[in-house]
Amino acid sequence: MNGYESSQPAPLPRTLLSRLPHPVVQAPMAGGASTPALAAAVSSAGGLGFLAAGYRSAEALREEIALTRTLTDAPFGVNVFTPGRPDPHAAQAAARYRDELAGEAERYGVELPPVPDWDDDAYQDKLDVLAETGVQLVSFTFGCPDPDVVARLQSAGTEIAVTVTTPEEGVTALRAGADILVVQGPEAGGHRGSFEPLGVADTGPGLLELLPAVRKAVEEDGARMPMLASGGVMDGAGLAAVLAAGAAAAQLGTAFLAAHESGAHPLHKAALTDPRWTEHGAFGSSTTVTTAFSGRAARGLVNRFVAEHGAVAPPSCYPLVHHLVAPLRRAAAARQDPDGMALWAGTGHRLARAMSAGDLVELLVTELGEASDTPYRHRSAT
Ligand SMILES: Cc1cc2nc3c(=O)[nH]c(=O)nc-3n(C[C@H](O)[C@H](O)[C@H](O)COP(=O)(O)O)c2cc1C
């Protein structure tokens, strides 16, 4: 090349995302929202549904995969938590937080369990199930799987996606052999998928800034990878924006949390659009990033629990704090008290629409068409 010729970028590798009828992916949502019915409805409508393996046993995951296969012939994905490392200081910090929660235990009539040991969420057993069942796509969050794990699942015919929150994490996932990057912006509901647990203030650039930054870093490392954009996408306009920013498809969580087939608690679904939840938040924002429920940064609606404990909750005690607080969350849900539940929600939650997941996929595609067709009008022309 003589320096004057422009180089043609390498073509984007073809993956399951390029074969989807619609660029709409339902985000995996551990904790009950991601039901087989939800995943199947989205996949059957031409998007891609996801099961969430987090907090499930390997056997329960196997059953969910089998059940989903009875509900749809279309491909779907499974999401797994990549285990981190035990933090030697975590047990002590979690024990202090346990003391802080004594009043909550009394309020909900629950005996808090002793601080549990660190665990890896049955990672190896779940990998075995995934290698045996050969689902079309497996995504990892909270860290990058080792290259041998990636290669093992790929040899079973599975494509691999890794959630990344920075350009550097994107390069790590590329070098590990992943096929797809789930680029998660700070707008996202639920846990941030960063490789190292972040503090609550470490939000970083928004999704529309992050997508081109990740793409550039990966290209500078010598490859192109399809990106799945995640965080704050609620409608066709949001979908159009992330596609314009270079994503191959969008992964929507909060939008599908409100769907009829979602297993989220009805109070959680209702809270997404209830004006009451705008009361607590700072600067008019109704969501915040908190470690109060799990010991890892996650975005949710600001309720009483977050307002009272968010400031003292330890930042890197996952999954210890998750297990410690779980009985309180269950008791609050049983009492129909949303102020003690983890109301995970992305920044766009007010735009959630309660409808069937298949109809939502269709509506998003219609809106995408409308958003893309909007004619540009110069000011002077009006
Ligand atoms: C209730 C809930 C649970 C979630 N659980 C998971 C999970 O198990 N694994 C995962 O990779 N991401 C999880 N996420 C994050 C989503 O994958 C996704 O990044 C996020 O929902 C996108 O932002 P949005 O909610 O604004 O659409 C969860 C999100 C929510 C709202």
Side-chain angles (χ1 to χ4, degrees):
M1 195 178 315
N2 61 17
Y4 292 97
E5 295 161 7
S6 66
S7 62
Q8 283 291 324
L12 204 54
R14 288 186 66 76
T15 63
L16 177 57
L17 296 183
S18 31
R19 298 191 295 277
L20 287 180
H22 305 309
V24 176
V25 175
Q26 164 248 314
M29 292 181 281
S34 288
T35 58
L38 179 61
V42 173
S43 290
S44 296
L48 184 78
F50 251 101
L51 299 177
Y55 315 132
R56 288 244 179 290
S57 69
E59 269 324 295
L61 172 63
R62 188 193 296 279
E63 282 163 24
E64 285 208 337
I65 292 170
L67 176 56
T68 309
R69 283 179 168 158
T70 66
L71 300 174
T72 186
D73 293 329
F76 59 90
V78 174
N79 173 258
V80 183
F81 294 167
T82 311
R85 288 174 305 279
D87 176 339
H89 307 294
Q92 224 178 5
R96 279 196 299 274
Y97 191 50
R98 186 178 184 279
D99 294 344
E100 153 85 16
L101 296 177
E104 295 290 341
E106 206 173 312
R107 173 191 289 265
Y108 291 113
V110 163
E111 193 167 338
L112 287 177
V115 172
D117 289 334
W118 181 88
D119 71 274
D120 68 357
D121 202 36
Y123 185 59
Q124 291 302 334
D125 292 347
K126 287 177 190 175
L127 294 180
D128 290 346
V129 168
L130 292 169
E132 282 164 35
T133 48
V135 291
Q136 285 89 344
L137 179 65
V138 171
S139 74
F140 291 84
T141 192
F142 298 158
C144 189
D146 291 337
D148 57 328
V149 169
V150 173
R152 178 184 177 204
L153 295 180
Q154 284 170 332
S155 69
T158 299
E159 293 180 14
I160 302 298
V162 177
T163 299
V164 302
T165 58
T166 63
E168 295 74 27
E169 289 176 354
V171 171
T172 303
L174 164 70
R175 292 183 185 171
D179 303 292
I180 295 167
L181 298 176
V182 179
V183 179
Q184 189 197 44
E187 302 90 344
H191 285 99
R192 296 216 66 199
S194 42
F195 292 4
E196 295 296 332
L198 293 173
V200 292
D202 283 331
T203 50
L207 182 59
L208 291 180
E209 206 182 321
L210 190 56
L211 285 164
V214 170
R215 180 170 65 182
K216 182 162 175 278
V218 167
E219 284 181 5
E220 282 175 1
D221 208 61
R224 298 191 69 204
M225 287 178 80
M227 298 187 294
L228 188 47
S230 200
V233 178
M234 299 297 295
D235 57 15
L239 189 48
V242 297
L243 296 181
Q251 176 172 289
L252 296 79
T254 304
F256 284 108
L257 199 55
H260 298 332
E261 295 88 343
S262 143
H265 193 291
L267 289 174
H268 188 173
K269 292 185 182 185
L272 296 174
T273 50
D274 183 341
R276 165 183 170 199
W277 299 100
T278 58
E279 284 169 19
H280 297 288
F283 310 115
S285 159
S286 45
T287 65
T288 193
V289 177
T290 183
T291 57
F293 290 109
S294 67
R296 210 180 209 283
R299 184 177 290 284
L301 298 173
V302 182
N303 60 5
R304 184 193 58 75
F305 194 95
V306 174
E308 289 183 9
H309 306 295
V312 292
S316 64
C317 288
Y318 181 87
L320 280 58
V321 169
H322 165 79
H323 295 305
L324 196 59
V325 175
L328 292 174
R329 292 169 53 182
R330 273 196 299 271
R335 274 198 199 182
Q336 309 290 318
D337 176 10
D339 264 307
M341 295 160 56
L343 302 174
W344 302 137
T347 53
H349 64 91
R350 290 186 191 82
L351 298 176
R353 294 169 286 200
M355 57 199 308
S356 80
D359 287 350
L360 180 56
V361 172
E362 227 170 89
L363 181 57
L364 288 164
V365 172
T366 305
E367 290 174 344
L368 173 64
E370 289 164 3
S372 316
D373 283 351
T374 308
Y376 171 72
R377 286 225 205 112
H378 193 271
R379 268 170 196 273
S380 61
T382 55

